[in-house]
Structures are given as C-alpha cells and as structure tokens.
Amino acid sequence: GMLFPLLFIIIGTLTSFFTEAIYLKFILKKEDVKKSLKYSYAIFPGLFLSLILPINTPILILVLGAMVATIIGKMIYGGFGHNIFNPALIGCLFVITIFGGVIENLGGYKNVLEVDTISLATPLSNQHALETIGNYDTLVKPFGNLLDFFIGTIPGAIGETSALLCIVAYLYLSITRTIKWKIPLVYVGVVFVMTWAIGNMNGLGIWYPIFQVLSGGLMFGAVFMATDPVTSPVTSTGQIIYASLLGILTVTFR
C-alpha cells in the first residue's frame, strides 16, 4: 500500500516517455529519437498526471490518460514548446470526464486508511455538499485541523495534499530559476486576500482563507501547473495579470 503511489507515478511517467518515443519514431519519422527525447521533457505529462489523478484510478486508465496527455496534449501541436494547453491537465480532464464514476466507485481520492476513517471525499467536495459557506466545524474538523492540511494527511491526489512539500518545491524551483516565481506568489496571494474578505464578511476567522489556500490542490497547481513554461506569460507584467486572473477565477468557481 505504501509503495503503490510510487508505482503509480513510475507507470504514468514511463507511459508518457515511451508514447512520445513511439510517436517520434513512427509518426514523425525521426531518425535520432534518442536525441529528440533528450530535449523534449517526455516524462512530464505522465509524471504530473499521476500526481493529480485520484489514487484509486485503475492502472489501465492511468496509462490511457498518460497517452492522451502526451499525444493530444503535446505531440499533435508539434511537441514541447508548441502545445497551447498543459498536457497533464488535458489527460486529467479526459480521465475524469470519461472514467470519473468508475474511479469514484473504487474509492476516489481516499487511500485504504481514509476509506475506513473518513466518510467525506475531499475538503472541497465536502464544502460543495454543504451548499453554504460553512464554518470551522463543518469544513476543517472532519479532516483534522489546519496542520493536517499543511502537512498533507487529508484525502486528495498524491501531489496536491502537502502544502509543506509544495512550498519546499517552490523555493527550490525559484532559487534555481526553473519557474517564474511571481506566478505562484501572486496567485496564492490573490486567493488568500479574496477568501479573507469573503470570510470576514461572513464572520469567519483567518482560518477560512488558510483553509482555501491549503485545499483543492491549489498549492500544487500554483507551483507546477500555473508556471508551465510554454503556456504562461514571459513578461513580468503579464505574469502578474495572468496569476491575478487565475486567483480570481479560482475563488469565483469555488
């Protein structure tokens, strides 16, 4: 059970890698496939897809999703640098839209321990079911406390539950200039300020915006999805506007 998440990630990653290799060899007729793969970041669609899918996704569905992410989300546009959407999100949309019911019947986002101890699916699905703004007892307590949200011992996808690890990743990727550091900072900041205002108008404490920031994979999305090098802005002003709009849309949809 402890090793399954690692196996899940490895299978998703390898599926994307070999799918792209086959596409390069037989569809694009590349003579030097090895050289093309060296600079194409072939593992990432499947890697990120496996980190955002429910843990109870059947392996065959994961493989199919990784193939869709690689081919439909990336290769048909011309490969890395030409895709207009995030490949992993394309794969996730495909899987959840077609197989969401199947995955939910198998346990959805909950691991073996959570199936026996937590009756609710995820913090955001619980919030949606309430049909009200809720309070600390109805939003946070069913899953423990805010420390559980921060560390990651709550139901959710493999990569999205631990805000702590997402922050560590953000610091490392920013210091090494791998990502555009302004995007996650502005995105999370806008969500925090907006939900603080909403909570304040409804008599809720500072816990409410913290709950919103630590829920629903927002931290993972801010660090790894919003900063996609191909589909995010390159100018400083563009990054601030882009991240601000992402924050506004996130709060609006929630």
Side-chain angles (χ1 to χ4, degrees):
M2 291 177 65
L3 291 177
F4 181 74
L6 179 60
L7 178 65
F8 195 78
I9 294 170
I10 291 174
I11 291 175
T13 302
L14 290 179
T15 299
S16 271
F17 180 83
F18 286 114
T19 298
E20 184 163 331
I22 292 170
Y23 191 95
L24 289 169
K25 179 68 175 179
F26 297 102
I27 304 300
L28 299 183
K29 309 294 184 182
K30 293 284 187 179
E31 293 184 1
D32 194 345
V33 173
K34 186 177 180 180
K35 183 179 179 180
S36 298
L37 289 172
K38 186 177 180 180
Y39 302 102
S40 70
Y41 303 95
I43 67 172
F44 283 111
L47 170 62
F48 287 125
L49 176 65
S50 61
L51 288 170
I52 61 177
L53 283 179
I55 189 62
N56 290 296
T57 302
I59 293 298
L60 288 178
I61 294 178
L62 167 66
V63 169
L64 184 58
M67 292 173 65
V68 169
T70 302
I71 297 173
I72 306 300
K74 178 182 178 181
M75 299 308 295
I76 64 171
Y77 296 104
F80 178 76
H82 301 283
N83 52 289
I84 61 175
F85 302 110
N86 186 300
L89 293 181
I90 294 295
C92 184
L93 182 63
F94 168 80
V95 169
I96 297 301
T97 300
I98 298 178
F99 303 106
V102 175
I103 297 170
E104 186 63 30
N105 289 336
L106 293 173
Y109 288 96
K110 292 187 286 187
N111 61 38
V112 176
L113 177 62
E114 291 166 340
V115 168
D116 296 329
T117 58
I118 299 177
S119 60
L120 306 167
T122 63
L124 286 191
S125 61
N126 172 49
Q127 181 187 35
H128 176 70
L130 293 174
E131 297 183 350
T132 65
I133 194 168
N135 54 51
Y136 190 88
D137 289 339
T138 57
L139 293 177
V140 178
K141 277 192 174 182
F143 304 95
N145 54 50
L146 289 177
L147 182 60
D148 293 307
F149 281 73
F150 182 70
I151 295 173
T153 54
I154 58 174
I158 299 172
E160 73 178 21
T161 57
S162 179
L164 172 61
L165 293 180
C166 288
I167 292 172
V168 171
Y170 169 70
L171 293 174
Y172 172 78
L173 294 172
S174 296
I175 292 171
T176 57
R177 298 185 178 182
T178 305
I179 63 172
K180 302 154 187 171
W181 64 270
K182 292 180 182 177
I183 294 176
L185 194 64
V186 173
Y187 180 22
V188 173
V190 168
V191 171
F192 183 88
V193 171
M194 288 184 67
T195 52
W196 172 82
I198 293 170
N200 190 53
M201 288 187 292
N202 287 274
L204 302 178
I206 193 67
W207 65 266
Y208 185 71
I210 296 175
F211 161 79
Q212 292 290 343
V213 167
L214 300 181
S215 302
L218 187 141
M219 294 292 290
F220 182 86
V223 175
F224 294 102
M225 296 297 179
T227 57
D228 178 65
V230 182
T231 58
S232 59
V234 295
T235 66
S236 179
T237 302
Q239 291 168 23
I240 293 173
I241 295 173
Y242 164 75
S244 298
L245 291 174
L246 286 177
I248 293 170
L249 285 173
T250 297
V251 176
T252 300
F253 290 142
R254 288 187 178 188

